[in-house]
Amino acid sequence: MRTLSGIFLSLALIAGCGSASAQQGGGRTATRIPSAAKGPPATHEKPLVFTEAIPLDNAKGRFDHFAMGGGRLFVAALGSNEVEVINVGGRVLDHTISGVPDPQGVAFSSETNKLFVASGRGKVYVDDGKSYEQIAAVDFPGGADNLRYDAFTKRVYVGCGDDEKTGAIAMIDATTNQKLSEEYKLGGEPESFQLERSGPNIYVNVPDLKQIVVINRATKQITHWPLNGVESNFPMALDETSHRLFVGMHVPPRLAVFDTNSGRMVASIPSPQDSDDLYFDADRKRVYVPGGEGYIQVYQMVDPDHYQLLDKIPTAIGAKTAGYYGKQGKGFDRFYLAVPARGGQSAEVRIYTVQD
Protein backbone atom coordinates (compact mmCIF):
# COMPACT_ATOMS: atom_id res chain seq x y z
CA MET A 1 0.00 0.00 0.00
CA ARG A 2 2.84 2.43 0.86
CA THR A 3 4.52 1.69 -2.50
CA LEU A 4 1.32 2.35 -4.47
CA SER A 5 0.63 5.49 -2.43
CA GLY A 6 4.14 6.72 -3.18
CA ILE A 7 3.64 6.13 -6.91
CA PHE A 8 0.30 7.96 -6.90
CA LEU A 9 1.82 10.85 -4.90
CA SER A 10 4.72 11.15 -7.35
CA LEU A 11 2.33 11.20 -10.32
CA ALA A 12 0.19 13.87 -8.60
CA LEU A 13 3.22 16.04 -7.94
CA ILE A 14 4.35 15.77 -11.59
CA ALA A 15 0.85 16.66 -12.82
CA GLY A 16 0.65 19.57 -10.39
CA CYS A 17 3.98 20.97 -11.56
CA GLY A 18 2.84 20.68 -15.18
CA SER A 19 -0.40 22.51 -14.36
CA ALA A 20 1.44 25.29 -12.53
CA SER A 21 3.85 25.74 -15.45
CA ALA A 22 0.94 25.99 -17.86
CA GLN A 23 -0.71 28.63 -15.71
CA GLN A 24 2.48 30.69 -15.48
CA GLY A 25 3.02 30.51 -19.21
CA GLY A 26 -0.55 31.49 -20.15
CA GLY A 27 -1.68 33.76 -17.30
CA ARG A 28 -3.33 37.14 -18.03
CA THR A 29 -3.36 36.68 -21.81
CA ALA A 30 -6.83 38.20 -22.34
CA THR A 31 -5.61 41.80 -22.61
CA ARG A 32 -1.95 41.31 -23.39
CA ILE A 33 -0.51 42.27 -26.76
CA PRO A 34 0.95 39.04 -28.27
CA SER A 35 4.66 38.89 -27.57
CA ALA A 36 7.45 36.47 -26.76
CA ALA A 37 8.40 38.69 -23.83
CA LYS A 38 7.67 37.25 -20.40
CA GLY A 39 5.48 39.20 -18.02
CA PRO A 40 6.42 40.36 -14.51
CA PRO A 41 6.32 37.78 -11.71
CA ALA A 42 2.91 37.10 -10.18
CA THR A 43 2.12 39.14 -7.09
CA HIS A 44 -0.39 38.60 -4.31
CA GLU A 45 -0.43 42.29 -3.33
CA LYS A 46 -3.13 44.54 -4.70
CA PRO A 47 -1.52 47.43 -6.63
CA LEU A 48 -4.03 49.88 -5.08
CA VAL A 49 -5.54 49.38 -1.62
CA PHE A 50 -8.50 51.53 -0.52
CA THR A 51 -7.38 53.27 2.68
CA GLU A 52 -9.97 55.91 3.56
CA ALA A 53 -12.37 58.50 2.14
CA ILE A 54 -12.65 62.25 2.62
CA PRO A 55 -16.32 63.32 2.51
CA LEU A 56 -17.31 66.29 0.34
CA ASP A 57 -20.84 66.77 1.62
CA ASN A 58 -21.67 69.89 -0.40
CA ALA A 59 -20.26 68.76 -3.76
CA LYS A 60 -22.92 67.98 -6.35
CA GLY A 61 -22.67 66.74 -9.91
CA ARG A 62 -19.51 65.75 -11.71
CA PHE A 63 -15.87 66.47 -10.95
CA ASP A 64 -13.15 67.51 -13.35
CA HIS A 65 -9.39 67.75 -12.91
CA PHE A 66 -6.99 67.62 -9.92
CA ALA A 67 -3.78 69.41 -8.96
CA MET A 68 -1.29 69.04 -6.11
CA GLY A 69 0.83 71.69 -4.37
CA GLY A 70 1.84 73.07 -1.00
CA GLY A 71 0.67 69.95 0.82
CA ARG A 72 -2.80 70.31 -0.67
CA LEU A 73 -4.92 68.50 -3.21
CA PHE A 74 -7.11 70.76 -5.37
CA VAL A 75 -10.23 69.21 -6.92
CA ALA A 76 -12.44 70.96 -9.48
CA ALA A 77 -16.03 70.27 -8.39
CA LEU A 78 -17.47 71.32 -11.73
CA GLY A 79 -21.10 70.53 -10.87
CA SER A 80 -20.96 72.76 -7.77
CA ASN A 81 -18.96 75.65 -9.27
CA GLU A 82 -16.36 75.12 -6.54
CA VAL A 83 -12.77 74.04 -6.01
CA GLU A 84 -12.27 71.73 -3.03
CA VAL A 85 -8.97 72.14 -1.14
CA ILE A 86 -7.89 69.03 0.78
CA ASN A 87 -5.09 68.96 3.33
CA VAL A 88 -3.07 65.95 2.22
CA GLY A 89 -1.27 65.36 5.52
CA GLY A 90 -4.39 65.69 7.65
CA ARG A 91 -6.58 64.08 4.98
CA VAL A 92 -9.40 66.54 5.60
CA LEU A 93 -11.29 69.13 3.57
CA ASP A 94 -9.46 72.35 4.40
CA HIS A 95 -11.27 74.96 2.32
CA THR A 96 -13.85 75.42 -0.45
CA ILE A 97 -13.39 78.10 -3.13
CA SER A 98 -16.93 79.01 -4.16
CA GLY A 99 -18.39 80.89 -7.11
CA VAL A 100 -16.07 79.55 -9.82
CA PRO A 101 -18.21 79.02 -12.95
CA ASP A 102 -17.59 75.61 -14.55
CA PRO A 103 -14.16 74.93 -12.98
CA GLN A 104 -12.17 72.46 -15.06
CA GLY A 105 -8.36 72.44 -15.07
CA VAL A 106 -6.38 73.39 -11.95
CA ALA A 107 -2.67 74.19 -11.57
CA PHE A 108 -0.58 75.36 -8.61
CA SER A 109 2.64 77.38 -8.82
CA SER A 110 4.72 76.90 -5.69
CA GLU A 111 7.27 79.44 -6.99
CA THR A 112 4.67 82.23 -7.00
CA ASN A 113 2.27 80.68 -4.47
CA LYS A 114 -0.69 81.02 -6.82
CA LEU A 115 -3.57 78.77 -7.81
CA PHE A 116 -4.83 78.84 -11.41
CA VAL A 117 -8.35 77.60 -12.16
CA ALA A 118 -9.67 77.22 -15.71
CA SER A 119 -13.33 78.01 -16.35
CA GLY A 120 -15.43 76.64 -19.18
CA ARG A 121 -17.04 80.10 -19.29
CA GLY A 122 -13.92 81.64 -20.86
CA LYS A 123 -11.48 82.64 -18.12
CA VAL A 124 -8.57 81.42 -16.04
CA TYR A 125 -8.84 82.69 -12.48
CA VAL A 126 -5.67 83.43 -10.52
CA ASP A 127 -5.96 83.11 -6.73
CA ASP A 128 -3.56 83.76 -3.89
CA GLY A 129 -2.22 80.40 -2.74
CA LYS A 130 -2.74 81.18 0.95
CA SER A 131 -5.88 83.27 1.27
CA TYR A 132 -7.53 81.98 -1.96
CA GLU A 133 -8.53 85.56 -2.77
CA GLN A 134 -8.81 86.27 -6.50
CA ILE A 135 -5.85 88.21 -7.90
CA ALA A 136 -6.66 88.26 -11.60
CA ALA A 137 -8.85 86.76 -14.34
CA VAL A 138 -7.48 86.09 -17.82
CA ASP A 139 -9.84 85.83 -20.81
CA PHE A 140 -9.87 82.86 -23.22
CA PRO A 141 -12.53 82.85 -25.97
CA GLY A 142 -14.37 79.53 -26.15
CA GLY A 143 -13.45 78.53 -22.59
CA ALA A 144 -10.44 77.03 -20.83
CA ASP A 145 -10.02 73.40 -19.78
CA ASN A 146 -6.78 71.55 -19.01
CA LEU A 147 -3.88 73.40 -17.37
CA ARG A 148 -0.21 72.44 -17.04
CA TYR A 149 2.45 74.31 -15.10
CA ASP A 150 6.12 74.53 -16.13
CA ALA A 151 8.15 75.47 -13.03
CA PHE A 152 11.31 76.17 -15.06
CA THR A 153 9.73 78.93 -17.17
CA LYS A 154 7.01 79.81 -14.62
CA ARG A 155 4.40 79.45 -17.35
CA VAL A 156 0.90 78.03 -17.11
CA TYR A 157 -0.10 76.28 -20.33
CA VAL A 158 -3.81 76.52 -21.11
CA GLY A 159 -5.86 74.21 -23.35
CA CYS A 160 -8.47 76.65 -24.63
CA GLY A 161 -11.13 77.22 -27.29
CA ASP A 162 -14.04 75.12 -28.49
CA ASP A 163 -13.77 74.96 -32.29
CA GLU A 164 -11.34 74.98 -35.21
CA LYS A 165 -10.78 78.75 -34.96
CA THR A 166 -10.30 79.13 -31.21
CA GLY A 167 -8.81 75.74 -30.25
CA ALA A 168 -5.25 76.33 -29.05
CA ILE A 169 -2.56 75.90 -26.43
CA ALA A 170 -1.95 79.33 -24.89
CA MET A 171 0.21 80.53 -21.99
CA ILE A 172 0.05 82.71 -18.88
CA ASP A 173 3.12 84.16 -17.17
CA ALA A 174 2.66 82.98 -13.56
CA THR A 175 4.72 85.91 -12.28
CA THR A 176 2.81 88.73 -14.00
CA ASN A 177 -0.57 86.95 -14.46
CA GLN A 178 -0.53 88.14 -18.09
CA LYS A 179 -1.50 86.11 -21.14
CA LEU A 180 1.49 85.73 -23.48
CA SER A 181 1.28 86.55 -27.18
CA GLU A 182 2.71 83.13 -28.10
CA GLU A 183 -0.08 80.68 -28.95
CA TYR A 184 -0.33 77.39 -30.85
CA LYS A 185 -3.44 76.93 -32.98
CA LEU A 186 -4.66 73.32 -33.17
CA GLY A 187 -7.61 73.28 -35.57
CA GLY A 188 -9.97 71.87 -32.95
CA GLU A 189 -10.84 71.86 -29.25
CA PRO A 190 -8.02 70.41 -27.10
CA GLU A 191 -8.49 67.89 -24.35
CA SER A 192 -5.66 66.53 -22.18
CA PHE A 193 -2.10 67.47 -23.08
CA GLN A 194 1.38 66.77 -21.70
CA LEU A 195 4.62 68.77 -21.65
CA GLU A 196 7.99 67.16 -22.11
CA ARG A 197 10.39 68.09 -19.32
CA SER A 198 13.59 67.03 -21.07
CA GLY A 199 12.49 68.00 -24.57
CA PRO A 200 10.56 70.68 -26.49
CA ASN A 201 7.36 68.82 -27.35
CA ILE A 202 3.78 69.29 -26.22
CA TYR A 203 1.43 66.37 -27.01
CA VAL A 204 -2.24 67.35 -27.34
CA ASN A 205 -5.39 65.25 -27.73
CA VAL A 206 -7.73 66.83 -30.31
CA PRO A 207 -10.78 64.53 -30.54
CA ASP A 208 -12.51 66.65 -33.21
CA LEU A 209 -9.63 65.93 -35.60
CA LYS A 210 -9.23 62.30 -34.48
CA GLN A 211 -5.57 63.16 -34.02
CA ILE A 212 -2.80 63.81 -31.55
CA VAL A 213 -1.20 67.17 -32.30
CA VAL A 214 2.50 67.55 -31.48
CA ILE A 215 3.94 71.04 -30.90
CA ASN A 216 7.68 71.66 -30.91
CA ARG A 217 8.24 74.66 -28.64
CA ALA A 218 11.75 75.24 -30.00
CA THR A 219 11.01 75.22 -33.75
CA LYS A 220 7.26 76.08 -33.50
CA GLN A 221 6.59 73.17 -35.87
CA ILE A 222 3.23 71.38 -35.51
CA THR A 223 2.69 67.79 -36.64
CA HIS A 224 -0.36 65.52 -36.57
CA TRP A 225 -0.57 61.84 -35.66
CA PRO A 226 -3.60 59.84 -36.86
CA LEU A 227 -5.37 57.52 -34.41
CA ASN A 228 -5.83 54.65 -36.89
CA GLY A 229 -9.12 53.01 -35.96
CA VAL A 230 -9.78 54.43 -32.50
CA GLU A 231 -11.21 57.82 -31.59
CA SER A 232 -12.51 60.14 -28.85
CA ASN A 233 -9.06 60.58 -27.34
CA PHE A 234 -9.40 62.34 -23.97
CA PRO A 235 -6.96 61.53 -21.09
CA MET A 236 -3.20 61.33 -21.62
CA ALA A 237 0.02 60.48 -19.75
CA LEU A 238 3.68 60.51 -20.78
CA ASP A 239 6.68 58.24 -20.14
CA GLU A 240 9.61 60.29 -21.39
CA THR A 241 12.24 57.70 -20.45
CA SER A 242 10.74 54.99 -22.67
CA HIS A 243 9.44 57.48 -25.27
CA ARG A 244 5.85 56.34 -24.82
CA LEU A 245 2.61 58.32 -24.80
CA PHE A 246 -0.50 56.77 -23.18
CA VAL A 247 -3.90 57.89 -24.45
CA GLY A 248 -7.37 56.91 -23.23
CA MET A 249 -9.83 56.29 -26.07
CA HIS A 250 -13.60 56.21 -25.65
CA VAL A 251 -14.52 54.61 -29.00
CA PRO A 252 -13.89 51.78 -28.47
CA PRO A 253 -12.65 51.92 -24.84
CA ARG A 254 -8.91 51.43 -25.21
CA LEU A 255 -5.59 52.36 -23.68
CA ALA A 256 -3.52 53.25 -26.75
CA VAL A 257 0.27 53.51 -26.55
CA PHE A 258 2.28 55.61 -29.02
CA ASP A 259 6.01 55.73 -29.75
CA THR A 260 6.91 59.41 -29.39
CA ASN A 261 9.89 59.02 -31.72
CA SER A 262 7.77 57.86 -34.66
CA GLY A 263 4.14 58.69 -33.79
CA ARG A 264 3.28 55.03 -34.38
CA MET A 265 0.71 53.24 -32.21
CA VAL A 266 2.48 50.24 -30.68
CA ALA A 267 -0.30 48.85 -28.45
CA SER A 268 -4.07 49.05 -28.03
CA ILE A 269 -5.54 47.39 -24.93
CA PRO A 270 -9.17 47.18 -23.69
CA SER A 271 -9.77 49.72 -20.91
CA PRO A 272 -12.66 50.92 -18.71
CA GLN A 273 -15.41 52.90 -20.38
CA ASP A 274 -15.63 56.67 -19.93
CA SER A 275 -12.09 57.38 -18.70
CA ASP A 276 -11.33 61.03 -17.94
CA ASP A 277 -7.88 60.67 -16.38
CA LEU A 278 -4.98 58.26 -16.58
CA TYR A 279 -1.57 58.25 -14.94
CA PHE A 280 1.82 56.64 -15.50
CA ASP A 281 3.72 55.38 -12.45
CA ALA A 282 7.37 55.73 -13.50
CA ASP A 283 8.77 53.90 -10.45
CA ARG A 284 6.71 50.76 -11.01
CA LYS A 285 6.17 51.05 -14.78
CA ARG A 286 2.40 50.94 -14.36
CA VAL A 287 -0.54 52.76 -15.92
CA TYR A 288 -3.64 53.57 -13.83
CA VAL A 289 -6.92 54.14 -15.73
CA PRO A 290 -10.10 55.00 -13.78
CA GLY A 291 -13.36 54.65 -15.68
CA GLY A 292 -16.89 55.92 -15.15
CA GLU A 293 -18.26 52.38 -15.41
CA GLY A 294 -16.90 51.77 -11.91
CA TYR A 295 -13.36 50.37 -12.14
CA ILE A 296 -9.72 51.37 -11.99
CA GLN A 297 -7.70 49.16 -14.31
CA VAL A 298 -3.99 48.83 -13.61
CA TYR A 299 -1.62 47.79 -16.39
CA GLN A 300 1.96 46.59 -16.05
CA MET A 301 4.56 47.48 -18.66
CA VAL A 302 6.31 44.30 -19.78
CA ASP A 303 8.46 46.28 -22.16
CA PRO A 304 7.72 49.59 -23.94
CA ASP A 305 5.64 47.84 -26.61
CA HIS A 306 3.81 45.31 -24.43
CA TYR A 307 1.44 45.67 -21.45
CA GLN A 308 -0.77 43.36 -19.44
CA LEU A 309 -3.67 43.84 -17.07
CA LEU A 310 -2.43 43.66 -13.49
CA ASP A 311 -5.72 44.27 -11.68
CA LYS A 312 -9.29 45.54 -12.10
CA ILE A 313 -10.35 47.36 -8.95
CA PRO A 314 -14.09 48.04 -8.33
CA THR A 315 -14.88 51.67 -7.42
CA ALA A 316 -18.19 53.50 -8.07
CA ILE A 317 -20.29 54.50 -11.07
CA GLY A 318 -19.15 57.87 -12.41
CA ALA A 319 -15.78 57.83 -10.61
CA LYS A 320 -13.61 58.71 -13.60
CA THR A 321 -11.54 61.64 -12.31
CA ALA A 322 -8.36 61.05 -10.32
CA GLY A 323 -5.00 62.37 -9.20
CA TYR A 324 -1.64 60.64 -8.85
CA TYR A 325 1.62 62.47 -8.04
CA GLY A 326 4.04 59.79 -6.83
CA LYS A 327 5.47 59.67 -3.33
CA GLN A 328 4.61 62.61 -1.09
CA GLY A 329 5.74 63.46 2.41
CA LYS A 330 6.98 60.50 4.43
CA GLY A 331 7.23 58.17 1.49
CA PHE A 332 3.51 57.44 1.30
CA ASP A 333 2.37 56.80 -2.24
CA ARG A 334 -1.31 57.52 -2.76
CA PHE A 335 -3.81 57.53 -5.60
CA TYR A 336 -6.83 59.86 -5.25
CA LEU A 337 -10.23 59.19 -6.85
CA ALA A 338 -13.21 61.59 -6.95
CA VAL A 339 -16.54 59.83 -6.40
CA PRO A 340 -19.63 61.94 -7.24
CA ALA A 341 -22.75 62.01 -5.06
CA ARG A 342 -25.23 59.35 -6.10
CA GLY A 343 -28.36 57.75 -4.65
CA GLY A 344 -28.22 59.47 -1.27
CA GLN A 345 -24.48 58.87 -0.88
CA SER A 346 -22.41 62.06 -0.49
CA ALA A 347 -19.51 62.83 -2.78
CA GLU A 348 -16.03 61.92 -1.56
CA VAL A 349 -12.40 61.64 -2.50
CA ARG A 350 -11.16 58.10 -1.96
CA ILE A 351 -7.54 57.49 -1.04
CA TYR A 352 -5.76 54.36 -2.27
CA THR A 353 -2.33 53.34 -1.06
CA VAL A 354 -0.07 52.30 -3.95
CA GLN A 355 1.74 49.01 -3.28
CA ASP A 356 4.73 47.37 -4.92
Side-chain angles (χ1 to χ4, degrees):
M1 291 296 292
R2 291 180 179 177
T3 301
L4 288 174
S5 298
I7 293 171
F8 290 146
L9 178 60
S10 298
L11 290 173
L13 288 170
I14 292 169
C17 291
S19 174
S21 298
Q23 289 178 2
Q24 291 173 2
R28 296 194 180 103
T29 57
T31 56
R32 179 178 171 181
I33 301 297
S35 170
K38 293 182 179 180
T43 175
H44 297 292
E45 294 285 351
K46 286 282 186 182
L48 298 176
V49 175
F50 178 42
T51 306
E52 62 183 302
I54 300 169
L56 303 176
D57 294 331
N58 295 322
K60 308 299 179 186
R62 60 170 289 223
F63 291 93
D64 217 331
H65 304 296
F66 283 48
M68 177 79 82
R72 292 158 293 177
L73 183 71
F74 303 96
V75 184
L78 189 152
S80 302
N81 296 320
E82 297 174 343
V83 176
E84 309 291 358
V85 183
I86 293 171
N87 182 305
V88 173
R91 298 181 297 284
V92 294
L93 178 64
D94 197 45
H95 186 77
T96 295
I97 305 172
S98 302
V100 185
D102 294 346
Q104 298 189 46
V106 190
F108 182 76
S109 166
S110 58
E111 289 76 17
T112 63
N113 194 29
K114 294 174 186 176
L115 179 68
F116 296 81
V117 182
S119 166
R121 303 282 182 87
K123 293 183 183 295
V124 171
Y125 296 97
V126 186
D127 293 348
D128 180 85
K130 183 177 181 180
S131 68
Y132 306 113
E133 294 295 324
Q134 184 178 311
I135 300 170
V138 187
D139 292 328
F140 289 92
D145 189 354
N146 275 264
L147 301 180
R148 298 287 181 266
Y149 177 64
D150 182 352
F152 181 74
T153 61
K154 297 183 179 64
R155 290 182 174 183
V156 177
Y157 287 78
V158 183
C160 58
D162 59 1
D163 57 29
E164 61 180 327
K165 292 183 179 180
T166 58
I169 298 296
M171 283 158 278
I172 297 172
D173 185 321
T175 303
T176 65
N177 308 321
Q178 298 296 310
K179 182 179 178 181
L180 301 178
S181 59
E182 185 178 350
E183 185 176 85
Y184 302 103
K185 291 293 186 181
L186 301 170
E189 181 179 358
E191 286 294 333
S192 185
F193 64 95
Q194 295 294 330
L195 311 176
E196 282 187 337
R197 298 184 182 277
S198 59
N201 287 344
I202 307 173
Y203 303 95
V204 189
N205 277 332
V206 186
D208 294 344
L209 301 181
K210 299 181 181 180
Q211 292 177 346
I212 296 167
V213 177
V214 184
I215 302 163
N216 186 309
R217 287 173 283 181
T219 66
K220 316 305 180 187
Q221 181 181 0
I222 296 178
T223 56
H224 299 258
W225 296 349
L227 299 182
N228 297 325
V230 290
E231 56 186 87
S232 296
N233 46 323
F234 286 89
M236 175 187 286
L238 178 63
D239 174 11
E240 284 192 64
T241 302
S242 298
H243 307 286
R244 291 296 178 265
L245 187 71
F246 306 98
V247 178
M249 305 292 179
H250 287 190
V251 182
R254 291 289 185 273
L255 171 63
V257 185
F258 292 83
D259 181 340
T260 59
N261 289 323
S262 65
R264 181 175 63 91
M265 186 191 297
V266 297
S268 178
I269 315 158
S271 69
Q273 294 181 7
D274 195 22
S275 60
D276 202 36
D277 275 318
L278 64 84
Y279 290 91
F280 176 68
D281 180 342
D283 290 338
R284 299 171 183 84
K285 297 295 182 182
R286 292 178 187 164
V287 183
Y288 306 112
V289 185
E293 67 171 310
Y295 294 96
I296 302 170
Q297 290 192 193
V298 183
Y299 304 89
Q300 182 70 54
M301 177 190 286
V302 179
D303 60 52
D305 288 351
H306 301 90
Y307 303 80
Q308 63 184 34
L309 181 64
L310 188 61
D311 208 343
K312 184 175 181 179
I313 299 166
T315 56
I317 298 297
K320 60 182 180 177
T321 307
Y324 177 67
Y325 307 98
K327 290 184 179 180
Q328 304 288 321
K330 300 177 181 178
F332 292 108
D333 209 348
R334 296 187 177 100
F335 184 92
Y336 302 92
L337 180 72
V339 178
R342 184 180 296 270
Q345 178 69 37
S346 296
E348 61 187 17
V349 169
R350 293 185 183 178
I351 302 175
Y352 294 81
T353 300
V354 182
Q355 305 214 99
D356 294 327

